[in-house]
CSV table of all heavy atoms in Angstrom, one decimal:
chain,number,residue,atom,x,y,z
A,8,VAL,N,-6.9,9.3,65.2
A,8,VAL,CA,-8.3,9.1,65.4
A,8,VAL,C,-8.6,8.3,66.7
A,8,VAL,O,-9.5,8.7,67.4
A,8,VAL,CB,-8.9,8.4,64.2
A,8,VAL,CG1,-10.3,8.0,64.4
A,8,VAL,CG2,-8.8,9.2,62.9
A,9,VAL,N,-7.8,7.3,67.0
A,9,VAL,CA,-8.0,6.5,68.2
A,9,VAL,C,-7.8,7.4,69.4
A,9,VAL,O,-8.5,7.3,70.4
A,9,VAL,CB,-7.0,5.3,68.3
A,9,VAL,CG1,-7.1,4.6,69.6
A,9,VAL,CG2,-7.4,4.3,67.1
A,10,GLU,N,-6.8,8.3,69.4
A,10,GLU,CA,-6.6,9.3,70.5
A,10,GLU,C,-7.8,10.2,70.7
A,10,GLU,O,-8.2,10.6,71.8
A,10,GLU,CB,-5.3,10.1,70.2
A,10,GLU,CG,-4.0,9.2,70.4
A,10,GLU,CD,-2.8,10.0,70.0
A,10,GLU,OE1,-2.9,11.2,69.5
A,10,GLU,OE2,-1.7,9.5,70.1
A,11,ALA,N,-8.4,10.6,69.5
A,11,ALA,CA,-9.5,11.5,69.6
A,11,ALA,C,-10.7,10.7,70.2
A,11,ALA,O,-11.5,11.3,70.9
A,11,ALA,CB,-9.9,11.9,68.2
A,12,TYR,N,-10.8,9.4,69.9
A,12,TYR,CA,-11.9,8.6,70.5
A,12,TYR,C,-11.7,8.5,72.0
A,12,TYR,O,-12.6,8.7,72.8
A,12,TYR,CB,-11.8,7.2,69.9
A,12,TYR,CG,-12.7,6.2,70.6
A,12,TYR,CD1,-14.1,6.1,70.2
A,12,TYR,CD2,-12.2,5.4,71.6
A,12,TYR,CE1,-14.9,5.2,70.9
A,12,TYR,CE2,-13.1,4.5,72.2
A,12,TYR,CZ,-14.4,4.4,71.9
A,12,TYR,OH,-15.3,3.5,72.5
A,13,LEU,N,-10.5,8.3,72.5
A,13,LEU,CA,-10.2,8.2,73.9
A,13,LEU,C,-10.5,9.5,74.6
A,13,LEU,O,-11.0,9.5,75.7
A,13,LEU,CB,-8.7,7.8,74.1
A,13,LEU,CG,-8.3,6.4,73.7
A,13,LEU,CD1,-6.9,6.2,73.9
A,13,LEU,CD2,-9.1,5.3,74.5
A,14,SER,N,-10.2,10.6,74.0
A,14,SER,CA,-10.4,11.9,74.6
A,14,SER,C,-11.9,12.3,74.7
A,14,SER,O,-12.3,13.0,75.6
A,14,SER,CB,-9.7,13.0,73.8
A,14,SER,OG,-10.2,13.1,72.5
A,15,SER,N,-12.7,11.7,73.8
A,15,SER,CA,-14.1,12.0,73.8
A,15,SER,C,-15.0,11.0,74.5
A,15,SER,O,-16.2,11.2,74.7
A,15,SER,CB,-14.6,12.2,72.4
A,15,SER,OG,-14.5,11.0,71.7
A,16,THR,N,-14.4,9.8,74.9
A,16,THR,CA,-15.1,8.7,75.5
A,16,THR,C,-14.5,8.3,76.8
A,16,THR,O,-14.5,7.0,77.1
A,16,THR,CB,-15.2,7.6,74.5
A,16,THR,OG1,-13.9,7.2,74.1
A,16,THR,CG2,-16.0,7.9,73.2
A,17,LEU,N,-14.0,9.2,77.6
A,17,LEU,CA,-13.4,8.7,78.8
A,17,LEU,C,-14.3,8.1,79.8
A,17,LEU,O,-14.0,7.3,80.6
A,17,LEU,CB,-12.7,10.0,79.5
A,17,LEU,CG,-11.5,10.6,78.7
A,17,LEU,CD1,-11.0,11.8,79.4
A,17,LEU,CD2,-10.4,9.5,78.6
A,18,LYS,N,-15.6,8.5,79.7
A,18,LYS,CA,-16.6,8.0,80.6
A,18,LYS,C,-17.4,6.8,80.1
A,18,LYS,O,-18.3,6.4,80.7
A,18,LYS,CB,-17.6,9.1,81.0
A,18,LYS,CG,-16.9,10.3,81.8
A,18,LYS,CD,-17.9,11.3,82.1
A,18,LYS,CE,-17.2,12.5,82.9
A,18,LYS,NZ,-18.2,13.6,83.3
A,19,ASN,N,-17.0,6.3,78.9
A,19,ASN,CA,-17.7,5.2,78.3
A,19,ASN,C,-17.4,3.9,79.1
A,19,ASN,O,-16.3,3.7,79.6
A,19,ASN,CB,-17.3,5.0,76.9
A,19,ASN,CG,-17.9,6.0,76.0
A,19,ASN,OD1,-18.8,6.8,76.4
A,19,ASN,ND2,-17.5,6.1,74.7
A,20,PRO,N,-18.4,3.0,79.2
A,20,PRO,CA,-18.2,1.7,79.8
A,20,PRO,C,-17.2,0.9,79.1
A,20,PRO,O,-16.9,1.1,78.0
A,20,PRO,CB,-19.6,1.1,79.8
A,20,PRO,CG,-20.3,1.8,78.6
A,20,PRO,CD,-19.7,3.2,78.6
A,21,ALA,N,-16.6,0.0,79.9
A,21,ALA,CA,-15.5,-0.9,79.4
A,21,ALA,C,-15.9,-1.7,78.1
A,21,ALA,O,-15.1,-1.8,77.2
A,21,ALA,CB,-15.0,-1.8,80.5
A,22,PRO,N,-17.1,-2.2,78.0
A,22,PRO,CA,-17.4,-3.0,76.8
A,22,PRO,C,-17.2,-2.2,75.5
A,22,PRO,O,-16.9,-2.8,74.5
A,22,PRO,CB,-18.9,-3.3,77.1
A,22,PRO,CG,-19.1,-3.4,78.6
A,22,PRO,CD,-18.2,-2.3,79.1
A,23,ARG,N,-17.5,-0.9,75.6
A,23,ARG,CA,-17.3,-0.1,74.4
A,23,ARG,C,-15.8,0.1,74.1
A,23,ARG,O,-15.4,0.1,72.9
A,23,ARG,CB,-18.0,1.3,74.6
A,23,ARG,CG,-19.5,1.2,74.7
A,23,ARG,CD,-20.1,2.6,74.9
A,23,ARG,NE,-19.9,3.4,73.7
A,23,ARG,CZ,-20.3,4.7,73.6
A,23,ARG,NH1,-20.9,5.2,74.6
A,23,ARG,NH2,-20.0,5.4,72.5
A,24,LEU,N,-15.0,0.2,75.1
A,24,LEU,CA,-13.6,0.2,74.9
A,24,LEU,C,-13.0,-1.1,74.3
A,24,LEU,O,-12.1,-1.1,73.5
A,24,LEU,CB,-12.8,0.6,76.2
A,24,LEU,CG,-12.6,2.0,76.5
A,24,LEU,CD1,-11.9,2.2,77.9
A,24,LEU,CD2,-11.8,2.7,75.4
A,25,TYR,N,-13.6,-2.2,74.8
A,25,TYR,CA,-13.2,-3.5,74.3
A,25,TYR,C,-13.5,-3.6,72.8
A,25,TYR,O,-12.7,-4.3,72.1
A,25,TYR,CB,-14.0,-4.6,75.0
A,25,TYR,CG,-13.7,-4.8,76.5
A,25,TYR,CD1,-14.5,-5.4,77.4
A,25,TYR,CD2,-12.4,-4.3,77.0
A,25,TYR,CE1,-14.2,-5.5,78.7
A,25,TYR,CE2,-12.1,-4.4,78.3
A,25,TYR,CZ,-13.0,-5.0,79.2
A,25,TYR,OH,-12.7,-5.1,80.5
A,26,VAL,N,-14.5,-3.0,72.3
A,26,VAL,CA,-14.9,-3.1,70.9
A,26,VAL,C,-13.8,-2.4,70.1
A,26,VAL,O,-13.3,-2.9,69.1
A,26,VAL,CB,-16.2,-2.4,70.6
A,26,VAL,CG1,-16.5,-2.3,69.1
A,26,VAL,CG2,-17.4,-3.2,71.2
A,27,VAL,N,-13.4,-1.2,70.5
A,27,VAL,CA,-12.3,-0.5,69.8
A,27,VAL,C,-11.0,-1.2,70.0
A,27,VAL,O,-10.1,-1.2,69.1
A,27,VAL,CB,-12.3,1.0,70.3
A,27,VAL,CG1,-11.1,1.7,69.6
A,27,VAL,CG2,-13.6,1.6,70.0
A,28,GLY,N,-10.7,-1.8,71.2
A,28,GLY,CA,-9.5,-2.5,71.4
A,28,GLY,C,-9.4,-3.7,70.4
A,28,GLY,O,-8.3,-3.9,69.8
A,29,ARG,N,-10.5,-4.4,70.2
A,29,ARG,CA,-10.5,-5.5,69.3
A,29,ARG,C,-10.3,-5.0,67.8
A,29,ARG,O,-9.5,-5.6,67.0
A,29,ARG,CB,-11.8,-6.3,69.3
A,29,ARG,CG,-11.9,-7.5,68.5
A,29,ARG,CD,-13.0,-8.4,68.8
A,29,ARG,NE,-14.3,-7.7,68.7
A,29,ARG,CZ,-15.0,-7.4,69.7
A,29,ARG,NH1,-14.6,-7.6,70.9
A,29,ARG,NH2,-16.2,-6.7,69.5
A,30,LEU,N,-10.9,-3.8,67.5
A,30,LEU,CA,-10.7,-3.2,66.2
A,30,LEU,C,-9.3,-2.9,65.9
A,30,LEU,O,-8.7,-3.2,64.8
A,30,LEU,CB,-11.6,-2.0,66.1
A,30,LEU,CG,-11.4,-1.1,64.8
A,30,LEU,CD1,-12.0,-1.9,63.6
A,30,LEU,CD2,-12.1,0.2,65.0
A,31,VAL,N,-8.6,-2.3,66.9
A,31,VAL,CA,-7.2,-1.9,66.7
A,31,VAL,C,-6.3,-3.1,66.6
A,31,VAL,O,-5.3,-3.1,65.7
A,31,VAL,CB,-6.7,-1.0,67.9
A,31,VAL,CG1,-5.2,-0.8,67.9
A,31,VAL,CG2,-7.4,0.3,67.9
A,32,ASP,N,-6.5,-4.2,67.3
A,32,ASP,CA,-5.7,-5.4,67.2
A,32,ASP,C,-5.9,-6.1,65.9
A,32,ASP,O,-4.9,-6.6,65.3
A,32,ASP,CB,-6.1,-6.4,68.3
A,32,ASP,CG,-5.7,-5.9,69.7
A,32,ASP,OD1,-4.9,-4.9,69.8
A,32,ASP,OD2,-6.1,-6.4,70.7
A,33,GLU,N,-7.1,-6.0,65.3
A,33,GLU,CA,-7.4,-6.6,64.0
A,33,GLU,C,-6.7,-5.7,62.9
A,33,GLU,O,-6.2,-6.3,62.0
A,33,GLU,CB,-8.9,-6.7,63.7
A,33,GLU,CG,-9.6,-7.7,64.5
A,33,GLU,CD,-11.1,-7.6,64.4
A,33,GLU,OE1,-11.6,-6.7,63.7
A,33,GLU,OE2,-11.8,-8.5,64.9
A,34,TYR,N,-6.7,-4.4,63.1
A,34,TYR,CA,-5.9,-3.6,62.2
A,34,TYR,C,-4.5,-3.8,62.3
A,34,TYR,O,-3.8,-3.9,61.2
A,34,TYR,CB,-6.2,-2.1,62.6
A,34,TYR,CG,-5.4,-1.1,61.8
A,34,TYR,CD1,-5.7,-0.8,60.5
A,34,TYR,CD2,-4.4,-0.4,62.5
A,34,TYR,CE1,-5.0,0.2,59.8
A,34,TYR,CE2,-3.6,0.5,61.8
A,34,TYR,CZ,-3.9,0.8,60.4
A,34,TYR,OH,-3.2,1.7,59.8
A,35,LEU,N,-3.9,-4.1,63.4
A,35,LEU,CA,-2.5,-4.4,63.6
A,35,LEU,C,-2.2,-5.7,62.8
A,35,LEU,O,-1.1,-5.9,62.2
A,35,LEU,CB,-2.1,-4.5,65.0
A,35,LEU,CG,-1.8,-3.2,65.8
A,35,LEU,CD1,-1.7,-3.5,67.3
A,35,LEU,CD2,-0.6,-2.6,65.3
A,36,THR,N,-3.1,-6.7,62.9
A,36,THR,CA,-2.9,-7.9,62.2
A,36,THR,C,-2.8,-7.7,60.7
A,36,THR,O,-2.1,-8.4,60.0
A,36,THR,CB,-4.0,-8.9,62.6
A,36,THR,OG1,-4.1,-9.1,64.0
A,36,THR,CG2,-3.8,-10.3,61.9
A,37,MET,N,-3.6,-6.8,60.2
A,37,MET,CA,-3.7,-6.6,58.8
A,37,MET,C,-2.5,-5.9,58.2
A,37,MET,O,-2.0,-6.1,57.1
A,37,MET,CB,-4.9,-5.8,58.4
A,37,MET,CG,-6.3,-6.5,58.8
A,37,MET,SD,-7.7,-5.6,58.2
A,37,MET,CE,-7.7,-5.9,56.5
A,38,ILE,N,-1.8,-5.0,59.1
A,38,ILE,CA,-0.7,-4.3,58.6
A,38,ILE,C,0.7,-4.9,59.0
A,38,ILE,O,1.7,-4.4,58.6
A,38,ILE,CB,-0.8,-2.8,59.1
A,38,ILE,CG1,-0.6,-2.7,60.6
A,38,ILE,CG2,-2.0,-2.1,58.6
A,38,ILE,CD1,-0.5,-1.3,61.2
A,39,ALA,N,0.6,-5.9,59.8
A,39,ALA,CA,1.9,-6.5,60.4
A,39,ALA,C,2.8,-7.0,59.4
A,39,ALA,O,4.0,-7.0,59.6
A,39,ALA,CB,1.5,-7.6,61.4
A,40,ARG,N,2.3,-7.5,58.3
A,40,ARG,CA,3.2,-8.1,57.2
A,40,ARG,C,3.9,-7.0,56.4
A,40,ARG,O,4.7,-7.4,55.5
A,40,ARG,CB,2.4,-9.0,56.3
A,40,ARG,CG,1.8,-10.2,57.1
A,40,ARG,CD,1.2,-11.2,56.0
A,40,ARG,NE,0.7,-12.4,56.7
A,40,ARG,CZ,-0.5,-12.6,57.1
A,40,ARG,NH1,-1.4,-11.6,57.0
A,40,ARG,NH2,-0.9,-13.7,57.6
A,41,ASP,N,3.6,-5.8,56.5
A,41,ASP,CA,4.2,-4.7,55.7
A,41,ASP,C,5.7,-4.6,56.1
A,41,ASP,O,6.1,-4.3,57.3
A,41,ASP,CB,3.5,-3.4,56.0
A,41,ASP,CG,4.1,-2.3,55.2
A,41,ASP,OD1,5.0,-2.5,54.3
A,41,ASP,OD2,3.7,-1.1,55.4
């Protein structure tokens, strides 16, 4: 899904990418203990 986001939002401004970047890092934090 993240790859689909990147392919459809290549022209999006950096602040929007930062939001998804923070989301992915928080997701990594939640699954890291597995």
Side-chain angles (χ1 to χ4, degrees):
V8 172
V9 174
E10 289 174 355
Y12 172 83
L13 292 175
S14 64
S15 62
T16 57
L17 291 177
K18 297 181 180 180
N19 281 352
R23 295 180 63 180
L24 270 178
Y25 292 158
V26 172
V27 178
R29 183 168 58 250
L30 173 71
V31 170
D32 291 345
E33 289 174 355
Y34 173 73
L35 280 170
T36 303
M37 298 184 75
I38 66 174
R40 292 189 178 92
D41 181 8

